[in-house]
Amino acid sequence: MPDDLKKKYFTKIGASYQISDDVKKRVEFKEHNLLRDAYPTACDMIVCRNVVIYFTDDAKEEIYIKFNQALKKTGFYLSAARSRL
């Protein structure tokens, strides 16, 4: 990640980085049952880490369809294992 983006959106803590409070204020974090709960609409981004692997193939297909329907046409879906900046 470029240094200018790190400085703009993150706070350096020791050897790691933490997302800035300004970004946190703009993001909605909530618990969601991927199979039972209604999905929001017009999402800019959905981040789903390390959970879909525990579902059956049929459930995964249902979840991915719902993710696609929940996103704006210009939205992003991110699914990633833990990464380092």
Side-chain angles (χ1 to χ4, degrees):
M1 176 176 284
D3 286 338
D4 60 326
L5 293 178
K6 284 183 192 177
K7 289 177 185 175
K8 184 174 182 178
Y9 297 112
F10 296 87
T11 302
K12 188 167 174 75
I13 300 176
S16 299
Y17 289 86
Q18 180 177 322
I19 198 151
S20 72
D21 289 338
D22 186 50
V23 173
K24 287 181 188 179
K25 290 176 191 173
R26 298 168 189 249
V27 176
E28 181 179 344
F29 294 93
K30 66 181 186 177
E31 193 172 305
H32 183 89
N33 183 307
L34 295 172
L35 294 176
R36 284 187 285 173
D37 294 343
Y39 282 61
T41 58
C43 293
D44 293 305
M45 179 170 53
I46 295 174
V47 179
C48 186
R49 291 182 43 182
N50 300 331
V51 68
V52 178
I53 61 172
Y54 298 106
F55 289 94
T56 65
D57 287 342
D58 288 340
K60 287 178 189 178
E61 184 176 351
E62 180 182 339
I63 291 166
Y64 291 138
I65 289 169
K66 289 179 179 181
F67 282 166
N68 187 53
Q69 292 169 342
L71 285 169
K72 291 179 179 178
K73 289 187 190 274
T74 57
F76 292 92
Y77 167 66
L78 301 173
S79 176
R82 186 178 174 139
S83 61
R84 295 176 187 243
L85 296 176

